[in-house]
Amino acid sequence: MKDLHFTRHRRLRQSANMRAIVRETHLHVEDFIYPLFIVEGQNIKQQVQSMPGVYQLSIDQLETEIEEIISLGIKSIILFGVPIEKDELGIGAYHNHGIVQEATRFIKKHFPDIIVVADTCLCEYTSHGHCGVVEKGGKVLNDPSLDLLAKTAVSQAEAGADIIAPSNMMDGFVAAIRAGLDEAGFEDVPIMSYAVKYASAFYGPFRDAADSTPQFGDRKTYQMDPANRLEAMREAESDVLEGADFLIVKPGMPYLDIVRDVKNNFNLPVVVYNVSGEYSLIKAAAQNGWIDEKGVVMEMLTSMKRAGADLIITYFAKDAARWLAE
């Protein structure tokens, strides 16, 4: 035994405090962006069936919700609108009195310091459920969609949104929105681009929450093929050149290699979206007693930070904030 020479890595794992002082990756409550689904109507707090603990809320329910969010130390929210009426062009997305615009005004009036991120897309507002203008035959048209997306971003900024987060995956959407915001006098409003968004099977529960399931076909002609890695770099680079201020990778867990690639190649803040399918899988397993929910969630969120995420959009934000406070 005296002739053996090896490194004793376990020396730095001998106690909780020893592990804590050498820990490389840390979660902070400021890292989290909490999604909210806003519906038209009054006195509505309806749980999303496929997402236990996540609710559709009417504007009159927001005061209590935001007070809880702030009390937990969460600094940022992202808003998704669920309108009653839909049409071919998604007019509700860019109407001055659209559901997200009205919710933003309410929140900024009563809670001016919280960061409001506005999801900028058309799919929740179109009768066909796609993220852009659709021509006869079902093709989603790129360039005509850009004009509507720019109008949506401007109306959200006018309502008081602190950050615009376009999620539509049309080519040139950052350039169009940046130009629209600048022309309208909102040159200081940043764009949190869904730069790398895959055509993922993990979005199912979100479509229940946002009522945004496509009425025909799928979104594979504009969202990315899950098999592609280099394409993600091309997508992110385009958005950087067009004026993005943040880069989102969506989904999270199945794409941590992409998160690291984006972090290594670009010097903008990287955001990962811990999506609905990831949330629902863990919730279902926890409810069946198959896993330790707290342990799994905190390990998952830590892995996202370790992979390179600066911010995490997650439905677990409130739970994670409570666990961190412990």
Side-chain angles (χ1 to χ4, degrees):
M1 290 293 294
K2 290 182 179 180
D3 295 330
L4 289 178
H5 298 282
F6 55 88
T7 303
R8 294 190 180 273
H9 299 287
R10 293 176 57 190
R11 289 172 182 155
L12 303 184
R13 304 171 190 158
Q14 296 304 301
S15 68
N17 281 346
M18 182 68 76
R19 292 189 294 274
I21 66 172
V22 297
R23 187 161 293 134
E24 301 171 22
T25 305
H26 296 270
L27 285 172
H28 305 283
V29 69
E30 294 86 357
D31 300 334
F32 304 137
I33 301 172
Y34 187 58
L36 291 175
F37 296 96
I38 315 301
V39 297
E40 294 180 314
Q42 291 185 329
N43 199 31
I44 298 172
K45 184 177 182 179
Q46 179 173 310
Q47 183 168 252
V48 179
Q49 185 175 1
S50 56
M51 299 179 70
V54 173
Y55 296 86
Q56 294 177 329
L57 301 167
S58 53
I59 290 176
D60 61 313
Q61 299 294 303
L62 280 177
E63 185 168 2
T64 300
E65 180 71 18
I66 301 298
E67 285 175 347
E68 179 187 18
I69 289 168
I70 291 174
S71 73
L72 292 169
I74 297 168
K75 301 291 191 293
S76 310
I77 57 174
I78 182 168
L79 302 183
F80 298 91
V82 187
I84 294 174
E85 295 184 5
K86 305 189 179 198
D87 58 78
E88 288 290 310
L89 297 178
I91 291 173
Y94 44 90
H95 195 287
N96 286 338
H97 296 288
I99 185 63
V100 164
Q101 288 80 353
E102 292 293 343
T104 300
R105 290 188 187 97
F106 177 88
I107 293 168
K108 297 306 289 187
K109 177 181 178 180
H110 295 280
F111 307 96
D113 292 334
I114 196 165
I115 297 295
V116 174
V117 184
D119 179 80
T120 305
C121 197
L122 303 178
C123 60
E124 297 105 313
Y125 306 90
T126 54
S127 53
H128 46 72
H130 281 281
C131 303
V133 177
V134 174
E135 69 173 357
K136 290 182 179 179
K139 182 179 180 180
V140 179
L141 300 177
N142 194 89
D143 294 8
S145 302
L146 297 180
D147 293 335
L148 301 185
L149 292 165
K151 287 177 64 175
T152 301
V154 170
S155 70
Q156 292 169 338
E158 288 175 341
D162 298 287
I163 299 173
I164 299 301
S167 59
N168 54 88
M169 288 299 283
M170 297 295 114
D171 291 333
F173 69 90
V174 173
I177 288 172
R178 184 73 272 159
L181 290 172
D182 291 354
E183 185 177 345
F186 296 109
E187 60 274 358
D188 291 331
V189 174
I191 296 174
M192 181 182 286
S193 171
Y194 286 71
V196 181
K197 183 178 180 180
Y198 286 90
S200 173
F202 282 85
Y203 300 152
F206 174 91
R207 292 170 183 170
D208 292 340
D211 189 24
S212 61
T213 302
Q215 298 303 299
F216 63 88
D218 52 43
R219 295 175 179 150
K220 293 180 180 179
T221 62
Y222 46 101
Q223 294 179 0
M224 287 177 52
D225 186 336
N228 291 355
R229 183 179 184 182
L230 296 179
E231 183 183 7
M233 297 303 100
R234 298 197 297 271
E235 288 278 359
E237 183 178 19
S238 294
D239 289 3
V240 171
L241 294 174
E242 292 173 18
D245 300 282
F246 302 79
L247 300 174
I248 299 177
V249 177
K250 181 182 181 183
M253 281 292 287
Y255 299 93
L256 294 185
D257 59 323
I258 307 302
V259 175
R260 173 46 58 187
D261 284 343
V262 172
K263 184 67 173 179
N264 287 345
N265 283 277
F266 305 99
N267 61 3
L268 294 179
V270 176
V271 185
V272 65
Y273 199 140
N274 176 211
V275 300
S276 60
E278 299 166 57
Y279 175 87
S280 296
L281 287 171
I282 290 174
K283 281 291 185 181
Q287 288 181 350
N288 279 283
W290 297 336
I291 60 170
D292 169 13
E293 181 177 355
K294 174 183 174 182
V296 168
V297 170
M298 298 306 279
E299 182 177 341
M300 173 185 64
L301 297 176
T302 300
S303 77
M304 293 174 177
K305 281 293 296 287
R306 189 185 66 242
D310 299 289
L311 298 168
I312 304 171
I313 302 172
T314 179
Y315 305 98
F316 286 112
K318 292 197 291 187
D319 290 333
R322 293 187 184 99
W323 293 328
L324 286 173
E326 295 172 0

